[in-house]
Amino acid sequence: EPVGTPSPIVTTDGASTSEQNNDAFAGNDKDIGNDNGKDNDNVSDKSDQHLPSAKMSQFILHIGPPKTATTTIQADLHDLQKENHLLEDGYVYYGATETKYKYKDHALTCLDVLKSGPCLKRTYPAFLNNKRTHVSTNRDIPYPLAPECALPAKMMLDQLRDDGKSVILSDEEYAHLIPTDLLQTPAFLESFRDVLQGWNITMVATYRRTADWMLSSLKQNHASHMMGGNVPHNKWPVDGGAAFFGTMPSFRAWMRHSRARWNSKNGGFIAAKLFRDFIGATQGHRNNGFRIHVLNFHDKHHVTKQLLCDFIQDAPMSCQRLQEKTERSENSRNLPYFLYNNIVFAAAERNIIDAATQVTNTRGNMTNVLVTYHRDTLGKSILDLP
C-alpha cells in the first residue's frame, strides 16, 4: 500500500475503527491516547502503514521514546544483523547496541553527526550558503560533497544507497530534538535533509499509555539503585546496605513525583517527558515533512514484528527469524519487588534473617523467596501488606 494512504485502524482484538476518533497527529488540541479520560490505543490513523512497495533505499529512524521497548527492538535488530538476516534483506542497522558494526570495513559511528547541533546547525548551513554562492559564480568548478564534520556520514550514506541498501537507525536521543529546539531550526533541518539526500526517510515512534509509562519509569528509577554488585541496595545491613529510599510512601507522593514538569533534572521519570518526546517529536518531524509511522506497545503483535513484518514488507528473512524466536521475557523486578526487598532488608536489620542466612543467600534471592511465599503459599498480594 502506498505511503500516505492510511489503512483502517486495527485494534489489538482485530476490530477496525474509523479515523475520526484518533486525532493524535491531526494538529488539533486533543491529547494522544485520551478520549474523554480513557486511554485510546488506536494511534496508527495518521501514521503511514507500510513502506512503499517499490524497492528503494529507505532510511528508517526509530526514536523510541524511552520506556517503549526500545532496548528490545535494538537487541532484536542486533541479533538479526549478527546472524546476517538483515543484510540478506538489504538492510543495515546502526544504534545503541550496534556501535561497533562496520560496513565494508568502515564504522557507522559517523552517522552520529545526524543528531549533532554544532555540525548541522552551524557548520553545515554555512557550507550550504557558500555552495549556493559557488554554484552561481563557479558552476564549472566542483564543490566539496559536504563539510568536513559531516563528510564521513555523507560518503557512507551515499555508498549504502549506491549498493541498494536501506538503513535502520535506532536511537532515543532523536526523541530529544524537541527540547533542544533542533526541529524548530530551519538551518538544522536543511542540513539534515541534505545529508540524507536521495533517501526515503521515515521516523518511527512507539506509543505507550501514559499511566503505564509512568509506572515503568518509576520502576527504572528504583532499579537504577541496584545496578552493579557493590551498590548499597544489593547489600545486607552488616555489609553497609541500604533500603530503597525511592519507593513512594503513598499514591499522592507518586503523583507528585510524576507530575508534569517540563524542566527538571529528574526529567527521565516525569509524565510530561513522555508527551514531549512522543507528541513533540512525532508532530515536529511531521510538521517538517517527514513520513511518520507509529508502533503500538500494547498490541498483541510484538513491537519488533510490527516494525519488520508489518511496516517493513521487504525483509522476509528477518521477519521469518522473528517468528521463529522466543520472545524476550519481561523484567521480573516490578514495583512490588522493591517493597518486598525493603521488608527483607528490615528483617535482616532485626535479625529475623540471621547472619548465617545472609552469608549463604543474596538479598535479591531472599526477596524472590518472600515474593513467592507471599503470593503462592499465602495467596496474598502487595495490597495485603500494612
Short mmCIF file of all heavy atoms in Angstrom, two decimals, residues 261-321:
data_model
loop_
_atom_site.label_atom_id
_atom_site.label_comp_id
_atom_site.label_asym_id
_atom_site.label_seq_id
_atom_site.Cartn_x
_atom_site.Cartn_y
_atom_site.Cartn_z
N ARG A 261 6.25 18.33 34.72
CA ARG A 261 7.21 19.42 34.84
C ARG A 261 8.11 19.35 33.62
O ARG A 261 8.73 18.34 33.34
CB ARG A 261 8.05 19.28 36.12
CG ARG A 261 7.27 19.53 37.40
CD ARG A 261 8.15 19.26 38.60
NE ARG A 261 8.48 17.84 38.69
CZ ARG A 261 9.48 17.36 39.43
NH1 ARG A 261 10.23 18.17 40.10
NH2 ARG A 261 9.70 16.06 39.47
N TRP A 262 8.21 20.44 32.91
CA TRP A 262 8.97 20.41 31.67
C TRP A 262 10.47 20.54 31.91
O TRP A 262 11.26 20.01 31.14
CB TRP A 262 8.50 21.54 30.76
CG TRP A 262 7.15 21.29 30.22
CD1 TRP A 262 5.97 21.66 30.79
CD2 TRP A 262 6.81 20.56 29.04
NE1 TRP A 262 4.92 21.21 30.03
CE2 TRP A 262 5.40 20.55 28.95
CE3 TRP A 262 7.56 19.93 28.05
CZ2 TRP A 262 4.74 19.93 27.91
CZ3 TRP A 262 6.88 19.31 27.02
CH2 TRP A 262 5.50 19.32 26.95
N ASN A 263 10.86 21.24 32.92
CA ASN A 263 12.28 21.43 33.19
C ASN A 263 12.62 20.81 34.53
O ASN A 263 12.23 21.29 35.58
CB ASN A 263 12.64 22.92 33.20
CG ASN A 263 12.36 23.58 31.87
OD1 ASN A 263 12.81 23.08 30.84
ND2 ASN A 263 11.63 24.68 31.88
N SER A 264 13.36 19.72 34.50
CA SER A 264 13.69 19.02 35.73
C SER A 264 14.91 18.16 35.52
O SER A 264 15.07 17.52 34.49
CB SER A 264 12.52 18.15 36.18
OG SER A 264 12.91 17.30 37.23
N LYS A 265 15.82 18.14 36.50
CA LYS A 265 16.97 17.25 36.42
C LYS A 265 16.52 15.80 36.47
O LYS A 265 17.24 14.90 36.05
CB LYS A 265 17.94 17.54 37.57
CG LYS A 265 18.61 18.91 37.47
CD LYS A 265 19.58 19.13 38.62
CE LYS A 265 20.26 20.49 38.50
NZ LYS A 265 21.19 20.74 39.63
N ASN A 266 15.33 15.58 37.02
CA ASN A 266 14.77 14.23 37.10
C ASN A 266 13.81 13.98 35.94
O ASN A 266 12.87 13.24 36.03
CB ASN A 266 14.02 14.05 38.42
CG ASN A 266 13.78 12.59 38.74
OD1 ASN A 266 14.55 11.73 38.33
ND2 ASN A 266 12.71 12.32 39.45
N GLY A 267 14.08 14.66 34.82
CA GLY A 267 13.17 14.64 33.69
C GLY A 267 12.90 13.28 33.11
O GLY A 267 11.92 13.07 32.43
N GLY A 268 13.80 12.30 33.36
CA GLY A 268 13.59 10.98 32.81
C GLY A 268 12.46 10.23 33.48
O GLY A 268 12.06 9.18 33.00
N PHE A 269 11.92 10.74 34.56
CA PHE A 269 10.92 10.00 35.31
C PHE A 269 9.67 10.83 35.56
O PHE A 269 9.05 10.72 36.59
CB PHE A 269 11.51 9.51 36.63
CG PHE A 269 12.81 8.78 36.43
CD1 PHE A 269 14.01 9.36 36.78
CD2 PHE A 269 12.83 7.52 35.87
CE1 PHE A 269 15.20 8.69 36.58
CE2 PHE A 269 14.01 6.84 35.67
CZ PHE A 269 15.20 7.42 36.03
N ILE A 270 9.31 11.71 34.63
CA ILE A 270 8.11 12.51 34.79
C ILE A 270 7.19 12.31 33.60
O ILE A 270 7.63 12.00 32.50
CB ILE A 270 8.45 14.01 34.97
CG1 ILE A 270 9.23 14.52 33.77
CG2 ILE A 270 9.19 14.27 36.25
CD1 ILE A 270 9.52 16.00 33.82
N ALA A 271 5.90 12.48 33.86
CA ALA A 271 4.92 12.21 32.82
C ALA A 271 5.07 13.14 31.62
O ALA A 271 4.90 12.73 30.48
CB ALA A 271 3.51 12.34 33.40
N ALA A 272 5.40 14.39 31.88
CA ALA A 272 5.48 15.36 30.80
C ALA A 272 6.50 14.95 29.74
O ALA A 272 6.33 15.25 28.57
CB ALA A 272 5.85 16.74 31.36
N LYS A 273 7.53 14.27 30.15
CA LYS A 273 8.59 13.92 29.21
C LYS A 273 8.09 12.96 28.15
O LYS A 273 8.51 13.01 26.99
CB LYS A 273 9.78 13.31 29.95
CG LYS A 273 11.01 13.15 29.09
CD LYS A 273 12.20 12.73 29.94
CE LYS A 273 13.46 12.68 29.10
NZ LYS A 273 13.35 11.71 28.00
N LEU A 274 7.17 12.06 28.52
CA LEU A 274 6.62 11.15 27.53
C LEU A 274 5.90 11.93 26.44
O LEU A 274 6.09 11.66 25.25
CB LEU A 274 5.65 10.18 28.19
CG LEU A 274 4.86 9.28 27.22
CD1 LEU A 274 5.79 8.33 26.50
CD2 LEU A 274 3.77 8.52 27.94
N PHE A 275 5.08 12.90 26.82
CA PHE A 275 4.35 13.67 25.84
C PHE A 275 5.29 14.55 25.02
O PHE A 275 5.10 14.73 23.82
CB PHE A 275 3.29 14.52 26.54
CG PHE A 275 2.12 13.71 27.01
CD1 PHE A 275 2.09 13.17 28.27
CD2 PHE A 275 1.06 13.45 26.15
CE1 PHE A 275 1.03 12.40 28.70
CE2 PHE A 275 -0.02 12.68 26.57
CZ PHE A 275 -0.04 12.15 27.84
N ARG A 276 6.29 15.10 25.67
CA ARG A 276 7.25 15.92 24.94
C ARG A 276 7.99 15.09 23.91
O ARG A 276 8.14 15.50 22.76
CB ARG A 276 8.25 16.55 25.93
CG ARG A 276 9.25 17.47 25.27
CD ARG A 276 10.31 17.91 26.28
NE ARG A 276 11.18 16.80 26.62
CZ ARG A 276 12.12 16.87 27.56
NH1 ARG A 276 12.27 17.98 28.27
NH2 ARG A 276 12.89 15.84 27.83
N ASP A 277 8.44 13.90 24.31
CA ASP A 277 9.23 13.08 23.40
C ASP A 277 8.39 12.40 22.34
O ASP A 277 8.82 12.23 21.21
CB ASP A 277 10.01 12.01 24.19
CG ASP A 277 11.14 12.61 25.02
OD1 ASP A 277 11.44 13.79 24.80
OD2 ASP A 277 11.71 11.89 25.84
N PHE A 278 7.16 11.99 22.69
CA PHE A 278 6.33 11.29 21.72
C PHE A 278 5.57 12.26 20.82
O PHE A 278 5.76 12.30 19.62
CB PHE A 278 5.35 10.35 22.42
CG PHE A 278 4.49 9.58 21.45
CD1 PHE A 278 5.02 8.53 20.73
CD2 PHE A 278 3.16 9.94 21.25
CE1 PHE A 278 4.22 7.83 19.82
CE2 PHE A 278 2.37 9.24 20.35
CZ PHE A 278 2.90 8.18 19.63
N ILE A 279 4.71 13.08 21.44
CA ILE A 279 3.93 14.02 20.63
C ILE A 279 4.84 15.07 20.01
O ILE A 279 4.72 15.39 18.83
CB ILE A 279 2.84 14.70 21.48
CG1 ILE A 279 1.79 13.67 21.88
CG2 ILE A 279 2.20 15.82 20.71
CD1 ILE A 279 0.60 14.25 22.60
N GLY A 280 5.75 15.61 20.82
CA GLY A 280 6.63 16.65 20.30
C GLY A 280 7.46 16.17 19.13
O GLY A 280 7.56 16.83 18.10
N ALA A 281 8.08 15.00 19.29
CA ALA A 281 8.96 14.50 18.23
C ALA A 281 8.18 14.10 16.99
O ALA A 281 8.56 14.42 15.87
CB ALA A 281 9.78 13.33 18.76
N THR A 282 7.05 13.38 17.17
CA THR A 282 6.30 12.93 16.00
C THR A 282 5.69 14.12 15.24
O THR A 282 5.81 14.21 14.02
CB THR A 282 5.19 11.95 16.40
OG1 THR A 282 4.41 12.51 17.47
CG2 THR A 282 5.77 10.63 16.84
N GLN A 283 5.05 15.03 15.97
CA GLN A 283 4.47 16.18 15.29
C GLN A 283 5.55 17.10 14.75
O GLN A 283 5.38 17.70 13.68
CB GLN A 283 3.53 16.93 16.23
CG GLN A 283 2.25 16.18 16.53
CD GLN A 283 1.17 17.06 17.12
OE1 GLN A 283 1.39 18.23 17.40
NE2 GLN A 283 0.00 16.49 17.32
N GLY A 284 6.66 17.20 15.49
CA GLY A 284 7.75 18.04 15.00
C GLY A 284 8.31 17.53 13.69
O GLY A 284 8.53 18.29 12.75
N HIS A 285 8.52 16.21 13.59
CA HIS A 285 9.01 15.63 12.34
C HIS A 285 7.96 15.73 11.24
O HIS A 285 8.27 16.05 10.09
CB HIS A 285 9.40 14.17 12.55
CG HIS A 285 10.73 13.99 13.22
ND1 HIS A 285 10.88 13.99 14.59
CD2 HIS A 285 11.97 13.82 12.71
CE1 HIS A 285 12.15 13.82 14.89
NE2 HIS A 285 12.84 13.71 13.77
N ARG A 286 6.68 15.45 11.59
CA ARG A 286 5.63 15.51 10.58
C ARG A 286 5.46 16.93 10.05
O ARG A 286 5.30 17.14 8.83
CB ARG A 286 4.30 15.02 11.15
CG ARG A 286 3.16 15.08 10.15
CD ARG A 286 1.87 14.50 10.71
NE ARG A 286 1.93 13.06 10.78
CZ ARG A 286 1.76 12.26 9.73
NH1 ARG A 286 1.56 12.77 8.54
NH2 ARG A 286 1.79 10.95 9.87
N ASN A 287 5.49 17.91 10.94
CA ASN A 287 5.33 19.30 10.51
C ASN A 287 6.45 19.74 9.58
O ASN A 287 6.30 20.69 8.82
CB ASN A 287 5.28 20.23 11.73
CG ASN A 287 4.01 20.06 12.54
OD1 ASN A 287 3.02 19.51 12.06
ND2 ASN A 287 4.02 20.52 13.79
N ASN A 288 7.57 19.03 9.66
CA ASN A 288 8.70 19.36 8.78
C ASN A 288 8.77 18.44 7.57
O ASN A 288 9.81 18.38 6.90
CB ASN A 288 10.01 19.31 9.58
CG ASN A 288 10.15 20.50 10.52
OD1 ASN A 288 10.24 21.64 10.07
ND2 ASN A 288 10.14 20.24 11.81
N GLY A 289 7.67 17.73 7.31
CA GLY A 289 7.56 16.99 6.07
C GLY A 289 8.07 15.57 6.09
O GLY A 289 8.15 14.93 5.03
N PHE A 290 8.40 15.03 7.27
CA PHE A 290 8.90 13.66 7.33
C PHE A 290 7.74 12.67 7.48
O PHE A 290 6.75 12.95 8.15
CB PHE A 290 9.87 13.48 8.50
CG PHE A 290 11.13 14.29 8.35
CD1 PHE A 290 11.35 15.41 9.14
CD2 PHE A 290 12.09 13.93 7.42
CE1 PHE A 290 12.50 16.17 9.00
CE2 PHE A 290 13.25 14.68 7.28
CZ PHE A 290 13.45 15.80 8.07
N ARG A 291 7.89 11.51 6.85
CA ARG A 291 6.91 10.44 6.99
C ARG A 291 6.98 9.88 8.41
O ARG A 291 8.05 9.72 8.97
CB ARG A 291 7.22 9.34 5.96
CG ARG A 291 6.24 8.20 5.94
CD ARG A 291 6.63 7.15 4.89
NE ARG A 291 6.53 7.70 3.55
CZ ARG A 291 7.57 8.08 2.82
NH1 ARG A 291 8.79 7.96 3.29
NH2 ARG A 291 7.41 8.57 1.62
N ILE A 292 5.81 9.55 8.99
CA ILE A 292 5.73 9.06 10.36
C ILE A 292 5.07 7.69 10.39
O ILE A 292 4.09 7.45 9.70
CB ILE A 292 4.91 10.03 11.25
CG1 ILE A 292 5.46 11.45 11.19
CG2 ILE A 292 4.88 9.53 12.70
CD1 ILE A 292 6.86 11.60 11.74
N HIS A 293 5.59 6.80 11.23
CA HIS A 293 4.91 5.54 11.49
C HIS A 293 4.94 5.28 13.00
O HIS A 293 5.97 5.51 13.66
CB HIS A 293 5.58 4.37 10.77
CG HIS A 293 4.89 3.06 11.03
ND1 HIS A 293 3.67 2.74 10.46
CD2 HIS A 293 5.23 2.00 11.81
CE1 HIS A 293 3.29 1.55 10.87
NE2 HIS A 293 4.22 1.07 11.70
N VAL A 294 3.81 4.80 13.54
CA VAL A 294 3.69 4.59 14.99
C VAL A 294 3.50 3.11 15.29
O VAL A 294 2.61 2.46 14.72
CB VAL A 294 2.50 5.39 15.57
CG1 VAL A 294 2.36 5.12 17.06
CG2 VAL A 294 2.71 6.88 15.33
N LEU A 295 4.34 2.57 16.18
CA LEU A 295 4.17 1.22 16.70
C LEU A 295 3.34 1.29 17.97
O LEU A 295 3.38 2.31 18.68
CB LEU A 295 5.54 0.58 17.01
CG LEU A 295 6.57 0.59 15.88
CD1 LEU A 295 7.89 0.01 16.38
CD2 LEU A 295 6.08 -0.16 14.67
N ASN A 296 2.62 0.23 18.29
CA ASN A 296 1.76 0.21 19.47
C ASN A 296 2.35 -0.75 20.51
O ASN A 296 2.35 -1.96 20.31
CB ASN A 296 0.35 -0.22 19.09
CG ASN A 296 -0.65 -0.05 20.23
OD1 ASN A 296 -0.26 0.09 21.39
ND2 ASN A 296 -1.93 -0.09 19.90
N PHE A 297 2.82 -0.21 21.61
CA PHE A 297 3.43 -1.01 22.67
C PHE A 297 2.47 -2.07 23.20
O PHE A 297 2.90 -3.15 23.62
CB PHE A 297 3.86 -0.08 23.81
CG PHE A 297 4.53 -0.77 24.97
CD1 PHE A 297 5.90 -0.96 24.99
CD2 PHE A 297 3.79 -1.23 26.06
CE1 PHE A 297 6.53 -1.60 26.05
CE2 PHE A 297 4.40 -1.87 27.13
CZ PHE A 297 5.77 -2.05 27.12
N HIS A 298 1.17 -1.80 23.18
CA HIS A 298 0.18 -2.68 23.80
C HIS A 298 -0.43 -3.68 22.82
O HIS A 298 -1.26 -4.49 23.23
CB HIS A 298 -0.94 -1.82 24.42
CG HIS A 298 -0.42 -0.77 25.35
ND1 HIS A 298 0.01 -1.06 26.62
CD2 HIS A 298 -0.22 0.56 25.17
CE1 HIS A 298 0.45 0.07 27.20
NE2 HIS A 298 0.31 1.04 26.33
N ASP A 299 -0.05 -3.64 21.58
CA ASP A 299 -0.58 -4.59 20.61
C ASP A 299 -0.09 -6.00 20.93
O ASP A 299 1.02 -6.18 21.42
CB ASP A 299 -0.11 -4.19 19.20
CG ASP A 299 -0.94 -4.84 18.11
OD1 ASP A 299 -0.91 -6.08 18.02
OD2 ASP A 299 -1.61 -4.11 17.36
N LYS A 300 -0.93 -7.00 20.65
CA LYS A 300 -0.54 -8.38 20.90
C LYS A 300 0.62 -8.80 20.00
O LYS A 300 1.34 -9.74 20.31
CB LYS A 300 -1.74 -9.31 20.69
CG LYS A 300 -2.86 -9.10 21.71
CD LYS A 300 -4.06 -9.99 21.42
CE LYS A 300 -5.18 -9.73 22.42
NZ LYS A 300 -6.38 -10.56 22.13
N HIS A 301 0.76 -8.12 18.86
CA HIS A 301 1.87 -8.39 17.95
C HIS A 301 3.11 -7.67 18.47
O HIS A 301 3.09 -6.46 18.66
CB HIS A 301 1.52 -7.90 16.55
CG HIS A 301 2.23 -8.65 15.46
ND1 HIS A 301 2.40 -8.13 14.20
CD2 HIS A 301 2.83 -9.87 15.45
CE1 HIS A 301 3.05 -9.00 13.45
NE2 HIS A 301 3.32 -10.05 14.19
N HIS A 302 4.18 -8.39 18.71
CA HIS A 302 5.40 -7.84 19.30
C HIS A 302 5.90 -6.63 18.51
O HIS A 302 5.81 -6.59 17.29
CB HIS A 302 6.47 -8.93 19.33
CG HIS A 302 7.68 -8.56 20.14
ND1 HIS A 302 8.75 -7.91 19.59
CD2 HIS A 302 7.96 -8.74 21.45
CE1 HIS A 302 9.67 -7.73 20.53
NE2 HIS A 302 9.20 -8.22 21.66
N VAL A 303 6.44 -5.64 19.22
CA VAL A 303 6.82 -4.38 18.58
C VAL A 303 7.84 -4.58 17.46
O VAL A 303 7.78 -3.91 16.43
CB VAL A 303 7.34 -3.35 19.60
CG1 VAL A 303 6.22 -2.75 20.39
CG2 VAL A 303 8.40 -3.96 20.51
N THR A 304 8.81 -5.47 17.65
CA THR A 304 9.80 -5.68 16.59
C THR A 304 9.16 -6.31 15.37
O THR A 304 9.52 -6.00 14.22
CB THR A 304 10.96 -6.57 17.08
OG1 THR A 304 11.42 -6.12 18.36
CG2 THR A 304 12.12 -6.52 16.12
N LYS A 305 8.19 -7.19 15.58
CA LYS A 305 7.47 -7.78 14.45
C LYS A 305 6.61 -6.71 13.76
O LYS A 305 6.43 -6.74 12.53
CB LYS A 305 6.60 -8.94 14.92
CG LYS A 305 7.40 -10.13 15.43
CD LYS A 305 6.48 -11.23 15.96
CE LYS A 305 7.28 -12.38 16.55
NZ LYS A 305 6.40 -13.42 17.15
N GLN A 306 6.05 -5.80 14.55
CA GLN A 306 5.30 -4.70 13.94
C GLN A 306 6.19 -3.92 12.98
O GLN A 306 5.76 -3.49 11.91
CB GLN A 306 4.75 -3.76 15.02
CG GLN A 306 3.64 -4.33 15.88
CD GLN A 306 3.18 -3.33 16.92
OE1 GLN A 306 2.91 -2.17 16.62
NE2 GLN A 306 3.10 -3.77 18.17
N LEU A 307 7.45 -3.74 13.39
CA LEU A 307 8.38 -2.96 12.57
C LEU A 307 8.84 -3.74 11.34
O LEU A 307 8.77 -3.24 10.21
CB LEU A 307 9.60 -2.56 13.42
CG LEU A 307 10.73 -1.83 12.69
CD1 LEU A 307 10.24 -0.47 12.17
CD2 LEU A 307 11.93 -1.64 13.61
N LEU A 308 9.31 -4.98 11.55
CA LEU A 308 9.99 -5.71 10.48
C LEU A 308 9.07 -6.63 9.66
O LEU A 308 9.49 -7.12 8.61
CB LEU A 308 11.14 -6.54 11.06
CG LEU A 308 12.38 -5.73 11.43
CD1 LEU A 308 13.36 -6.57 12.23
CD2 LEU A 308 13.06 -5.19 10.18
N CYS A 309 7.87 -6.88 10.15
CA CYS A 309 6.93 -7.73 9.40
C CYS A 309 5.75 -6.95 8.85
O CYS A 309 5.30 -7.20 7.73
CB CYS A 309 6.43 -8.87 10.27
SG CYS A 309 7.73 -9.96 10.90
N ASP A 310 5.23 -6.01 9.65
CA ASP A 310 4.04 -5.27 9.25
C ASP A 310 4.37 -4.01 8.45
O ASP A 310 3.80 -3.76 7.39
CB ASP A 310 3.21 -4.89 10.47
CG ASP A 310 2.77 -6.10 11.27
OD1 ASP A 310 2.79 -7.21 10.71
OD2 ASP A 310 2.42 -5.95 12.45
N PHE A 311 5.29 -3.20 8.98
CA PHE A 311 5.61 -1.93 8.33
C PHE A 311 6.63 -2.13 7.21
O PHE A 311 6.39 -1.75 6.07
CB PHE A 311 6.14 -0.94 9.36
CG PHE A 311 6.53 0.39 8.76
CD1 PHE A 311 5.59 1.15 8.08
CD2 PHE A 311 7.82 0.87 8.87
CE1 PHE A 311 5.93 2.36 7.51
CE2 PHE A 311 8.17 2.08 8.32
CZ PHE A 311 7.23 2.83 7.63
N ILE A 312 7.77 -2.74 7.53
CA ILE A 312 8.75 -3.07 6.51
C ILE A 312 8.32 -4.39 5.88
O ILE A 312 8.29 -5.41 6.55
CB ILE A 312 10.16 -3.20 7.12
CG1 ILE A 312 10.59 -1.87 7.74
CG2 ILE A 312 11.17 -3.66 6.08
CD1 ILE A 312 11.92 -1.95 8.49
N GLN A 313 8.00 -4.36 4.62
CA GLN A 313 7.44 -5.56 4.00
C GLN A 313 8.39 -6.22 3.00
O GLN A 313 7.98 -7.10 2.25
CB GLN A 313 6.11 -5.21 3.32
CG GLN A 313 5.07 -4.73 4.33
CD GLN A 313 3.69 -4.62 3.73
OE1 GLN A 313 3.52 -4.12 2.63
NE2 GLN A 313 2.70 -5.10 4.46
N ASP A 314 9.65 -5.78 2.98
CA ASP A 314 10.61 -6.40 2.07
C ASP A 314 11.81 -6.96 2.84
O ASP A 314 12.94 -6.93 2.37
CB ASP A 314 11.07 -5.39 1.01
CG ASP A 314 11.75 -4.16 1.61
OD1 ASP A 314 11.69 -4.01 2.85
OD2 ASP A 314 12.32 -3.36 0.85
N ALA A 315 11.53 -7.47 4.07
CA ALA A 315 12.58 -8.08 4.87
C ALA A 315 12.13 -9.47 5.31
O ALA A 315 11.99 -9.76 6.50
CB ALA A 315 12.90 -7.21 6.09
N PRO A 316 11.88 -10.38 4.35
CA PRO A 316 11.30 -11.68 4.69
C PRO A 316 12.19 -12.56 5.56
O PRO A 316 11.68 -13.29 6.42
CB PRO A 316 11.09 -12.33 3.31
CG PRO A 316 12.05 -11.64 2.39
CD PRO A 316 12.11 -10.23 2.91
N MET A 317 13.50 -12.52 5.36
CA MET A 317 14.39 -13.34 6.16
C MET A 317 14.36 -12.92 7.64
O MET A 317 14.29 -13.75 8.54
CB MET A 317 15.82 -13.25 5.62
CG MET A 317 15.97 -13.70 4.18
SD MET A 317 15.56 -15.45 3.95
CE MET A 317 16.89 -16.22 4.86
N SER A 318 14.39 -11.61 7.85
CA SER A 318 14.37 -11.09 9.22
C SER A 318 13.03 -11.36 9.88
O SER A 318 12.96 -11.74 11.05
CB SER A 318 14.66 -9.59 9.21
OG SER A 318 15.92 -9.32 8.64
N CYS A 319 11.96 -11.17 9.14
CA CYS A 319 10.62 -11.41 9.68
C CYS A 319 10.44 -12.88 10.05
O CYS A 319 9.93 -13.20 11.12
CB CYS A 319 9.57 -10.99 8.66
SG CYS A 319 7.87 -11.26 9.22
N GLN A 320 10.89 -13.77 9.17
CA GLN A 320 10.76 -15.20 9.45
C GLN A 320 11.54 -15.59 10.70
O GLN A 320 11.06 -16.37 11.52
CB GLN A 320 11.26 -16.01 8.25
CG GLN A 320 11.15 -17.53 8.46
CD GLN A 320 11.62 -18.31 7.25
OE1 GLN A 320 11.72 -17.76 6.15
NE2 GLN A 320 11.92 -19.58 7.44
N ARG A 321 12.74 -15.03 10.86
CA ARG A 321 13.56 -15.33 12.04
C ARG A 321 12.87 -14.85 13.30
O ARG A 321 12.89 -15.53 14.34
CB ARG A 321 14.94 -14.68 11.92
CG ARG A 321 15.85 -14.95 13.10
CD ARG A 321 16.25 -16.41 13.14
NE ARG A 321 17.10 -16.70 14.30
CZ ARG A 321 16.69 -17.34 15.37
NH1 ARG A 321 15.43 -17.77 15.45
NH2 ARG A 321 17.50 -17.57 16.38
#
